[in-house]
Amino acid sequence: MVDTAIILAAGAGSKIWPYGDTWPKAALPIANRPIIHWQIDALQTCGIQNIIVVIGPLGSQIRDAVSGLAGVQCVEQKQPKGTADSLLAGLSFIKEPDFLTLYGDTVFSVEDLKQLLAAHENGDEACALVQSLGSLPPNEWLCANVDNDRVHQILGHPREASHRLCGVYCLSRKLVPYLTNNPGLMTSVEVGNMPSLESELAESLSRFLRDGGTIRAVETQRFFVDVDKPWHILDANSAVLTSLGSKITTDQIASSAVVEKGAEIGGHIVVGENSVIGHDVKVKGNLWVGKNTKITDGAIIGENTTIGDECQIREYCKIEPLSAIGSHCVIGHAAEFGGVLMDGAYSYHYGEYWGVIGRSADLGAATVCGNLRFDDQQTIHHVKGRREIPVSSGANAAYLGDYTRTGVNAILMPGVKVGPYSVVGSGVILNDDVPNKTIVYVKQDQIRSTWGPEKYGW
């Protein structure tokens, strides 16, 4: 039985701007918990108690996130060269003949992980979790051609494939030579492709396959999200909250919490210590509330929403379904919000926001995030210079990095991204992305002339 896992979390996250410069992806909040917490919960539920986490740039945030968790050890890789290299770094800390390894930016179900582990018990030296591509473009992913529960070919970002690799594997130490001899780039590519110089674990598996090895494919039956681009944060958040909502069966209200009689509750609620849901609040479905949070003054909360600790949700604001509001946030005075609001962010005074808003962002009064284009199309994004239209609904959402600010009456058009430490000034109509540490403001021309009673015949 596999009882050891290695989480590969040393990557830089260059495609997830405006969040990768201030976050390691494994620490990004999904449904108000770091991605790595969801992974560790799933691993421990499946009986895996020995967990090695390989960290790299910004890894101190991951170390902080897992501090105090039993059986979890962080290993720092000073100069990550790719997933195969990271796996070798993690393997030097374990002795077990078989192990599970997974990428630190993936969100998946416990049920699918159990399927993978059960398949490995049948004796295969390698088992891979795979997802049917469906409408997903294969050239975005490391892919596999699968038939009869077997991987027959592995390709990097191909034009056609049946499945994508999920980055979750059960492996034997017999594959170590393929990791050691990894060429440092993906050679298993189609003609015309241009792989980057990094040691992909998928390349090691491809060479193992070509040498006659077998890889059992286990197809996902529940949700799976690889958090690779900013809109994947919204996808993962919705998937996890939907899953949690399907499983909740009873209310859990702390003895010190208050749910006033006049509150309209449309689903099950979990309410932490000293939190309050006021008598004029409307909760349309399942809701998870942390400690010391006050939801009052006619707030409307959509179904399957989570709200963290020490929040103020008040004054007739509206929170859309499947939203995650971090700790120490304020939403008030008729503001509307949908998506992910990270810790310490403020949104109030008639603002309308949809997307992912970073830590301690200050959204000025009447800031509006547009999400419907006049041509009814999806916004084209640029990721590391490449044009891309997201498959998910997040194409037209707004993406604001950590510590951003907006001024009064700022308008953010569909799909814009704002780098961390930046400001969008009052009255700005923002059509294009804003780099890190940048202020954008309007220079106004004013015309002044005389006016008075004489204009009215006096």
Side-chain angles (χ1 to χ4, degrees), residues 49-64:
Q49 301 301 323
N50 181 27
I51 301 171
I52 304 294
V53 185
V54 183
I55 60 176
L58 303 175
S60 57
Q61 293 184 57
I62 299 174
R63 194 186 297 276
D64 178 60

Side-chain angles (χ1 to χ4, degrees), residues 202-264:
E203 175 63 22
S204 295
L205 293 173
S206 179
R207 292 179 174 229
F208 167 73
L209 199 63
R210 293 202 300 266
D211 282 352
T214 60
I215 302 176
R216 179 176 291 276
V218 178
E219 187 168 330
T220 58
Q221 302 300 312
R222 306 296 179 94
F223 64 88
F224 173 82
V225 182
D226 183 342
V227 183
D228 193 47
K229 315 282 174 58
W231 42 88
H232 295 147
I233 298 173
L234 293 174
D235 294 344
N237 189 71
S238 295
V240 170
L241 287 172
T242 299
S243 178
L244 292 174
S246 69
K247 297 175 181 178
I248 188 170
T249 57
T250 60
D251 295 339
Q252 301 173 42
I253 302 172
S255 59
S256 58
V258 175
V259 180
E260 297 183 356
K261 290 184 178 180
E264 183 179 335

Side-chain angles (χ1 to χ4, degrees), residues 183-206:
L185 80 165
M186 192 80 184
T187 64
S188 303
V189 295
E190 295 175 336
V191 63
N193 206 320
M194 299 181 182
S196 58
L197 297 177
E198 56 183 314
S199 60
E200 292 282 4
L201 172 55
E203 175 63 22
S204 295
L205 293 173
S206 179

Side-chain angles (χ1 to χ4, degrees), residues 385-427:
R386 180 176 182 270
R387 288 162 54 90
E388 184 172 334
I389 299 178
V391 175
S392 68
S393 62
N396 290 344
Y399 300 96
L400 277 65
D402 292 346
Y403 317 114
T404 51
R405 305 188 72 176
T406 68
V408 175
N409 287 320
I411 298 175
L412 282 63
M413 301 305 283
V416 297
K417 299 187 284 291
V418 179
Y421 306 105
S422 291
V423 176
V424 180
S426 298

